[in-house]
Amino acid sequence: MTGDGVNDAPSLKAADIGIALGSGSDIAIEASDMVLLDSFGAIVEAVKYGRVVFDNLKKTIIYLLPAGTFSEFWPIITSVILGLPQILSSFLMIIICFLTDCAAATVLAYEKPEADVLLRKPRNLKKDKLVDWKLLFHAYIFLGLQESICSFAMSYWYCQRRGVHFSALWLGYGEYPAGYDVVYVNKVLAEASSIYFVNLVVMQW
């Protein structure tokens, strides 16, 4: 809906996309979603890139949540509650946040428009949110659990192969059974932390 007068304000507000002319009244401009300053041809491009920004934000969020929060959260929880060593070091968490997350998230932010971007119906502002339960389910349950479980499994499997058994770490809170060399165990755990990191980043990519 396009309009420029005071009488157009209710229609502009009710429309899927209310467009006020730049020369229109202040009330019409306030009620609109978009203000047209140039030609009417700009409307299509504005709608197109508005949808592209929304799509790319969703892609970026769903990329960042599983590894950037969920899979970094569980090594700390297992350390505090189950007494296991923190299998992903704090330093490697920072590396994920500042390097591996940023690079790919920036690329996703500049994704080109999908083929059907202008064929979709307008979003329902009350129902179609940027972050909804479907996105959270996909990020945390579908992706996050896979990444976390696989990274944990690879790390502790490596420890097992190097002679540091899971039963020796479980509920240990930094204490190891007699017969384990603390220096050797810490060396194996440092290597296992790198395995968790590499596995997580590769799965994230």
Side-chain angles (χ1 to χ4, degrees):
M1 171 68 190
T2 58
D4 59 356
V6 174
N7 293 340
D8 297 325
S11 299
L12 291 170
K13 190 74 175 174
D16 291 315
I17 304 174
I19 303 169
L21 303 180
S23 58
S25 67
D26 291 340
I27 295 175
I29 291 172
E30 187 68 29
S32 65
D33 300 301
M34 187 190 306
V35 178
L36 186 65
L37 299 177
D38 198 3
S39 68
F40 278 87
I43 294 173
V44 177
E45 287 298 304
V47 172
K48 176 182 176 182
Y49 282 99
R51 292 182 176 190
V52 169
V53 168
F54 187 85
D55 284 354
N56 289 353
L57 277 172
K58 284 184 90 78
K59 291 174 186 175
T60 303
I61 290 168
I62 208 165
Y63 169 76
L64 292 174
L65 285 181
T69 59
F70 190 81
S71 299
E72 291 180 6
F73 173 73
W74 283 107
I76 298 170
I77 289 298
T78 56
S79 177
V80 172
I81 297 177
L82 303 178
L84 292 167
Q86 186 177 318
I87 203 67
L88 181 65
S89 70
S90 301
F91 173 74
L92 290 178
M93 289 183 186
I94 293 169
I95 294 296
I96 289 174
C97 291
F98 281 98
L99 291 178
T100 63
D101 275 358
C102 291
T106 303
V107 172
L108 285 173
Y110 288 95
E111 274 275 282
K112 292 182 179 178
E114 301 290 346
D116 67 339
V117 71
L118 286 175
L119 302 177
R120 303 174 198 161
K121 293 181 179 180
R123 285 187 300 112
N124 185 328
L125 296 180
K126 293 181 179 179
K127 294 181 180 179
D128 301 328
K129 303 295 184 183
L130 182 62
V131 177
D132 54 14
W133 70 268
K134 290 180 181 178
L135 185 142
L136 293 175
F137 181 88
H138 189 80
Y140 289 136
I141 306 302
F142 185 72
L143 295 175
L145 279 180
Q146 288 184 58
E147 291 177 4
S148 298
I149 291 170
C150 190
S151 299
F152 271 119
M154 293 297 291
S155 299
Y156 288 119
W157 181 55
Y158 175 79
C159 291
Q160 190 86 8
R161 286 174 62 94
R162 296 296 301 273
V164 180
H165 300 288
F166 185 76
S167 57
L169 304 174
W170 178 263
L171 297 176
Y173 292 99
E175 300 292 331
Y176 309 117
Y180 281 92
D181 180 12
V182 175
V183 175
Y184 177 74
V185 171
N186 288 336
K187 175 178 176 292
V188 171
L189 289 173
E191 292 166 354
S193 180
S194 297
I195 289 171
Y196 189 104
F197 168 78
V198 171
N199 189 82
L200 179 60
V201 169
V202 168
M203 290 189 74
Q204 184 187 26
W205 282 344

